[in-house]
Amino acid sequence: MPGGVGGVRSRLTGPYPDCRIPDYYTSWIVVQLLIQMMKPIDWRGSSLDDLRAFTDDAKRNAGFQLRKVQRGEQPDVFKPMPAIGAGVAEIIVDTADGWFRVMYVAKFEEALYVLHAFQKKTNKTSQGDKDIAKRRYGAVLKERKGKLDEDCSPRR
């Protein structure tokens, strides 16, 4: 009998057993799922403007590394920065034009927080750059605590 076993059509093939989803639809669906799985970026302070001031090569590399972090992967070259805060790391972008860094924290499920982006002038990260990242990290923690308190407060 046509239409499956005993005249019953298969649920997996739908009403048209010979019909298949075209590859371009499958690719579109996969892309949409990946976009939904990525964490949004929360740019702190001037970090977005600072990153935009990087050279083209450094911007491209930093953006690629941030996209990896958004997907839950580790960047190619990074350094944990526990002195700034728990879970803070620094993406290392070295180009012919200089040394660039992006400090971020990705341990919170709601967003990837970019704390600071800057060009290094010496081998050692300046205390000023560390202080900026530390201050912005503290602000993230304070905001999150405030939201947690709001979510947990009794409703009236």
Side-chain angles (χ1 to χ4, degrees):
M1 278 184 130
V5 179
V8 177
R9 296 192 188 280
S10 167
R11 290 181 134 172
L12 298 176
T13 59
Y16 306 104
D18 295 330
C19 181
R20 296 183 187 264
I21 299 174
D23 287 339
Y24 57 87
Y25 283 127
T26 305
S27 298
W28 182 84
I29 292 168
V30 168
V31 167
Q32 296 304 311
L33 289 173
L34 286 173
I35 289 170
Q36 291 175 4
M37 289 172 36
M38 287 193 302
K39 285 185 183 183
I41 295 179
D42 187 332
W43 301 93
R44 291 298 162 142
S46 63
S47 60
L48 179 57
D49 291 333
D50 296 338
L51 190 134
R52 285 179 174 155
F54 285 11
T55 63
D56 288 342
D57 192 31
K59 270 190 283 200
R60 194 172 14 264
N61 192 328
F64 179 76
Q65 300 306 320
L66 284 170
R67 182 60 54 108
K68 288 181 81 168
V69 176
Q70 280 184 288
R71 290 192 307 249
E73 302 171 26
Q74 287 187 341
D76 293 336
V77 184
F78 72 101
K79 176 181 168 185
M81 301 293 286
I84 306 300
V88 176
E90 175 182 74
I91 294 173
I92 299 169
V93 178
D94 293 341
T95 69
D97 300 318
W99 305 326
F100 300 86
R101 302 294 184 262
V102 179
M103 290 187 182
Y104 69 93
V105 62
K107 71 177 186 173
F108 305 117
E109 69 180 55
E110 71 275 5
L112 161 61
Y113 294 94
V114 176
L115 305 172
H116 190 36
F118 58 98
Q119 183 172 2
K120 283 182 77 168
K121 306 291 187 209
T122 64
N123 283 337
K124 189 173 180 182
T125 302
S126 77
Q127 190 59 47
D129 287 319
K130 290 178 185 178
D131 290 344
I132 289 169
K134 194 178 285 193
R135 188 172 58 250
R136 291 176 181 170
Y137 180 73
V140 167
L141 294 180
K142 188 174 180 181
E143 280 179 33
R144 293 186 83 253
K145 185 180 182 328
K147 288 179 184 176
L148 182 62
D149 290 345
E150 286 176 16
D151 291 343
C152 294
S153 64
R155 305 277 185 231
R156 293 181 192 199

